[in-house]
Amino acid sequence: MSIKRNDLAGKFIVIEGIDGSGLSTQASRVSEILNGMGHQTYKTKEPSDGPVGGLLRLALTHRIDISPGTFALLFAADRLDHLENEIIPKLSSGINVISDRYCFSNFAYQGTDIDTQWLVEINSHCMIPDITIFLDVDPTVCKRRIEPRMREEYFEKLPRLRMIRESFLKVIRLFNEEQGANIAIVNGNNPIEDVTHDILEKVLKLF
Ligand SMILES: Nc1ncnc2c1ncn2[C@@H]1O[C@H](COP(=O)(O)OP(=O)(O)O)[C@@H](O)[C@H]1O
Ligand SMILES: [Mg+2]
């Protein structure tokens, strides 16, 4: 991956992890706290709310059927659209962006079926965040947290969650060692407030 750093005025923060690790909870809390501190912050997510994100959601809920390769290309297309239309304009105007998932989710989830090198290649346009937080949570805890959702998405079965966690750890090691990607691991098994505290401790170093 030809690494693209963020040289824009705002900071680009990403939260990654397996389903149920608390990504949406923490992205909301951290963005609210940053805003309260006067660091104007825009919260977003992937799949995005753009047109390709809509297609991805249909595929994730099995309302359309696509191959793993097509799925991976749609994620990459959604990411480019998200960067061009949401993330980069905000960062350019000095607003910080926090995204609930980004390319490392894509590498970890699709990397179990698809060659990682190809996944990285089709994402070569993607800007590396200033910091990525990986919320590390025991898959059985995640499973318990997401059970009430009862949505039959692809990725929420326990053996699959375990495999994705391992896949994340591998991708994190690779990107930290080879690209200096600044991916930090935070223990997400702890109570919500403690996790937020640990994330902020790392994120505030950017300011
Ligand atoms: N640290 C935590 N401890 C206990 N429950 C949590 C924690 N973080 C999130 N939850 C709960 O787990 C569920 C899933 O959280 P959510 O943020 O939606 O996960 P994700 O976006 O990673 O799938 C929610 O009901 C949320 O309130
Ligand atoms: Mg979520």
Side-chain angles (χ1 to χ4, degrees):
M1 174 185 252
S2 60
I3 196 153
K4 284 198 192 77
R5 302 278 174 192
N6 172 25
D7 55 5
L8 304 169
K11 301 295 180 196
F12 183 26
I13 302 154
V14 164
I15 306 200
E16 298 274 28
I18 60 178
D19 298 286
S21 59
L23 305 178
S24 303
T25 303
Q26 296 299 334
S28 297
R29 290 174 58 86
V30 171
S31 75
E32 266 173 40
I33 293 171
L34 290 176
N35 276 314
M37 293 173 79
H39 301 299
Q40 201 185 344
T41 302
Y42 173 79
K43 179 171 68 82
T44 185
K45 64 174 187 296
E46 290 195 1
S48 77
D49 286 327
V52 189
L55 272 177
L56 283 168
R57 256 185 285 282
L58 289 175
L60 282 164
T61 51
H62 305 286
R63 280 177 282 173
I64 56 171
D65 187 22
I66 55 173
S67 72
T70 310
F71 214 175
L73 286 164
L74 285 182
F75 269 113
D78 181 46
R79 184 156 306 114
L80 183 56
D81 184 62
H82 191 203
L83 278 162
E84 289 176 346
N85 293 297
E86 277 189 75
I87 298 172
I88 290 174
K90 296 288 181 203
L91 295 174
S92 299
S93 61
I95 298 169
N96 308 298
V97 173
I98 182 162
S99 186
D100 172 349
R101 296 191 183 282
Y102 189 60
C103 65
F104 303 107
S105 278
N106 203 183
F107 300 153
Y109 281 79
Q110 267 69 48
T112 61
D113 304 320
I114 289 184
D115 174 45
T116 307
Q117 214 170 339
W118 182 68
L119 285 173
V120 172
E121 208 174 298
I122 62 175
N123 281 280
S124 58
H125 57 267
C126 96
M127 178 196 281
I128 294 288
D130 294 292
I131 189 167
T132 299
I133 302 289
F134 174 67
L135 286 186
D136 194 15
V137 180
D138 179 342
T140 55
V141 172
C142 291
K143 179 79 183 149
R144 203 167 49 232
R145 287 184 191 167
I146 61 187
E147 240 142 28
R149 273 189 210 162
M150 296 300 284
R151 269 202 329 251
E152 278 295 306
E153 290 190 2
Y154 274 163
F155 303 123
E156 298 186 352
K157 312 269 185 317
L158 188 54
R160 176 100 181 135
L161 288 175
R162 288 207 175 98
M163 195 160 70
I164 306 296
R165 176 176 173 271
E166 290 305 320
S167 182
F168 259 120
L169 294 173
K170 229 184 283 173
V171 164
I172 290 167
R173 210 174 312 119
L174 184 81
F175 273 79
N176 274 342
E177 282 171 10
E178 294 187 4
Q179 311 277 5
N182 198 25
I183 308 171
I185 300 179
V186 164
N187 184 350
N189 296 290
N190 295 329
I192 290 176
E193 295 74 15
D194 296 4
V195 178
T196 307
H197 173 271
D198 293 347
I199 295 172
L200 279 170
E201 197 174 61
K202 296 185 187 298
V203 164
L204 287 174
K205 288 184 184 148
L206 298 176
F207 296 94

